[in-house]
Amino acid sequence: LQDKILDLERVNSRTKALIATIPDMLLISNGKAQITPLKHSVSTGSYALHEIMQNQILMADLKQVIELVMRSRVLSDYYFSMPFQDALHYFEVRVQISTFDEVLIMIRDMTERVVMEKKLRELVDKDTLTHLYNRRYFEAELEQLDQRNIENLAILLLDIDGLKFVNDTLGHLMGDQVIVSASQVISRSFQAMGIVSRVGGDEFAVIIKHHNPENIEMVLKKMNKHLECLNELPDATFKISLSYGYSYHAAGLVNTGFLF
């Protein structure tokens, strides 16, 4: 008997040590809508756990997940985001049931990982100079449109006039400033209408949905007026001009191979 008690104490000590090393917030439920905290997260502290348990909508969703796990007896995942400490935090929840019908809820703060993934995605999808979408992203979006039934679709292409001359005479640093200035004008004009991308050294493209040619022409006129104002500034070393054209698809199946 003494050996059995010693073994139980050993298991209990090991379990406490294991729980202490887990970075998750831990809660337990008896399946009767009663959820009790076991341990807060080392990284987010008790404040996050308190906020979670005070959130009625979140706790209602969590209880639904618990009911599902109790019926299926299968591990279930649940994700949510919640603002606290002046920032939006992202959480992963894992819910598992024991042989004694106790439900263990493990909540991990995934904010650092999610933010890093978003930054990596931006590095893949964004042009480093202009911070617009790059050619890879543009082509992927274009591929998504192929063979789809879409109304009022336009692909607008724009080129910076004389960029090679700027690079050859004033240097690539000035050329980059011209590219950035042009990208800002294009983005401000068309970002509300569609996806703006830099697809080449001096080339930009915009995928425009749900706008007819009259709207596009109106925005192009506003863009040109914006360029005129920019070129009239006293520190304008080089006057920027853009050449452009667009393909318009009124209705029916889209064939992206014939849009240019």
Side-chain angles (χ1 to χ4, degrees):
L1 181 63
Q2 201 167 17
D3 288 341
K4 287 184 179 179
I5 293 172
L6 190 61
D7 287 341
L8 285 172
E9 287 177 350
R10 231 184 247 113
V11 170
N12 187 43
S13 176
R14 194 180 301 144
T15 302
K16 285 181 179 178
L18 183 61
I19 289 173
T21 59
I22 294 174
D24 305 339
M25 290 172 267
L26 298 178
L27 302 93
I28 197 165
S29 172
N30 58 7
K32 297 178 181 177
Q34 295 174 339
I35 300 173
T36 307
L38 283 179
K39 170 185 170 291
H40 62 75
S41 167
V42 175
S43 58
T44 55
S46 59
Y47 178 75
L49 184 56
H50 175 75
E51 288 292 307
I52 290 168
M53 296 198 71
Q54 291 298 311
N55 190 316
Q56 294 182 1
I57 296 173
L58 182 56
M59 293 306 290
D61 289 343
L62 193 53
K63 286 173 184 176
Q64 287 184 0
V65 178
I66 291 169
E67 289 172 5
L68 173 65
V69 170
M70 291 196 70
R71 288 197 306 270
S72 66
R73 307 192 75 82
V74 175
L75 172 71
S76 182
D77 295 333
Y78 171 62
Y79 300 90
F80 68 93
S81 59
M82 185 184 72
F84 80 94
Q85 293 181 338
D86 300 323
L88 185 64
H89 283 244
Y90 301 86
F91 296 91
E92 176 190 56
V93 184
R94 291 193 172 189
V95 183
Q96 180 63 289
I97 191 167
S98 74
T99 53
F100 295 97
D101 288 341
E102 285 185 326
V103 179
L104 183 65
I105 303 122
M106 294 165 280
I107 306 175
R108 178 169 295 188
D109 189 343
M110 303 293 287
T111 306
E112 188 175 339
R113 176 177 169 180
V114 171
V115 170
M116 182 60 69
E117 284 177 354
K118 285 184 177 181
K119 286 181 180 177
L120 290 173
R121 199 174 295 117
E122 281 195 358
L123 288 174
V124 172
D125 293 338
K126 295 288 184 76
D127 173 57
T128 53
L129 179 63
T130 62
H131 303 295
L132 298 178
Y133 288 114
N134 56 25
R135 187 181 187 92
R136 191 208 68 80
Y137 185 88
F138 170 77
E139 289 179 349
E141 287 295 309
L142 206 57
E143 192 175 342
Q144 293 294 318
L145 300 174
D146 197 33
Q147 301 307 310
R148 284 183 57 193
N149 197 338
I150 300 174
E151 294 183 2
N152 291 327
L153 171 70
I155 307 296
L156 171 65
L157 295 178
L158 308 99
D159 287 349
I160 302 172
D161 297 328
L163 183 62
K164 185 179 184 304
F165 174 76
V166 175
N167 286 331
D168 291 344
T169 57
L170 301 176
H172 285 274
L173 186 61
M174 178 57 68
D176 286 350
Q177 290 179 11
V178 170
I179 291 170
V180 170
S181 296
S183 73
Q184 290 172 347
V185 172
I186 296 167
S187 179
R188 286 172 190 162
S189 301
F190 288 99
Q191 65 181 352
M193 295 180 73
I195 297 168
V196 184
S197 306
R198 183 188 178 198
V199 296
D202 60 353
E203 298 172 348
F204 300 86
V206 189
I207 299 174
I208 303 171
K209 297 179 186 177
H210 314 305
H211 288 275
N212 57 37
E214 289 76 16
N215 289 343
I216 297 169
E217 292 289 346
M218 182 176 65
V219 176
L220 284 169
K221 285 180 181 177
K222 288 181 179 177
M223 182 190 75
N224 285 327
K225 286 188 177 294
H226 191 170
L227 275 175
E228 287 176 14
C229 294
L230 186 68
N231 290 332
E232 288 172 3
L233 292 174
D235 58 348
T237 309
F238 178 80
K239 294 189 184 298
I240 302 171
S241 67
L242 297 170
S243 296
Y244 50 80
Y246 60 89
S247 252
Y248 175 71
H249 173 85
L253 287 178
V254 174
N255 185 342
T256 55
F258 292 93
L259 281 172
F260 297 99

